Amino acid sequence: MTSALQSTTLNVDPAWIDEYGHMNAAHYVGIFDRVGFQLLREVGVGLDYTEATRCGIYTMNVHVAYLREVLAGDPLALRIRLLEADDKRLLCLMELMQTRDGYLAATMEQLSLHVDLETRRAKPFPEDLAQRLARTVAE
């Protein structure tokens, strides 16, 4: 069972539309990266964590599935789920829904690595954060 975190809503900006009249693939990834990172704050690995500890999560691998197109002005919801966490890694699944018609437009699975920004090396999550991530995955 996976844990659903908070979701957020947004609309497709007309500037994200490509020559085919739908949202360009790069903007899907941009939304997953930018908005997904904001949602990860809820489990303790957002920008406030990075500013306080000089540690953060680096994206190591992503897999994007483009399922249905979205158009300018379409209402979207992004939700994120934690699938797995170990001492240094976090695996998330993000889902982008087009909410007016209720369909799943795209998904992105992302593997992240916890890194000390001073040494630029991987390091274990602090114990309290590791426990919080494990609880979220288990929920």
Side-chain angles (χ1 to χ4, degrees):
M1 177 182 228
T2 58
S3 174
L5 301 178
Q6 181 179 19
S7 64
T8 192
T9 58
L10 60 150
N11 290 323
V12 177
D13 187 317
W16 300 341
I17 302 302
D18 65 17
E19 293 77 14
Y20 298 120
H22 59 205
M23 188 165 76
N24 182 270
H27 291 289
Y28 285 86
V29 175
I31 290 168
F32 285 130
D33 184 59
R34 186 182 66 256
V35 179
F37 183 68
Q38 292 168 357
L39 291 175
L40 284 171
R41 181 175 192 254
E42 182 181 333
V43 292
V45 290
L47 186 57
D48 54 341
Y49 170 74
T50 298
E51 290 171 345
T53 65
R54 295 294 300 144
C55 292
I57 54 172
Y58 280 16
T59 301
M60 302 302 294
N61 188 25
V62 296
H63 178 267
V64 181
Y66 303 97
L67 305 171
R68 287 187 61 184
E69 67 182 356
V70 295
L71 309 174
D74 277 355
L76 305 175
L78 178 73
R79 63 182 173 216
I80 188 169
R81 300 170 190 268
L82 298 189
L83 301 177
E84 296 177 30
D86 66 18
D87 65 327
K88 296 179 189 174
R89 291 176 295 261
L90 182 61
L91 182 63
C92 300
L93 175 66
M94 292 177 244
E95 299 171 319
L96 190 64
M97 300 289 299
Q98 195 267 32
T99 59
R100 182 185 51 249
D101 301 317
Y103 63 82
L104 182 61
T107 63
M108 186 170 93
E109 190 172 282
Q110 177 177 313
L111 177 65
S112 300
L113 181 67
H114 186 249
V115 173
D116 181 318
L117 298 180
E118 300 300 326
T119 66
R120 314 306 275 190
R121 300 262 186 235
K123 73 180 269 185
F125 289 111
E127 186 60 33
D128 61 328
L129 179 54
Q131 290 176 3
R132 183 176 185 178
L133 294 173
R135 277 193 311 273
T136 303
V137 168
E139 289 176 354

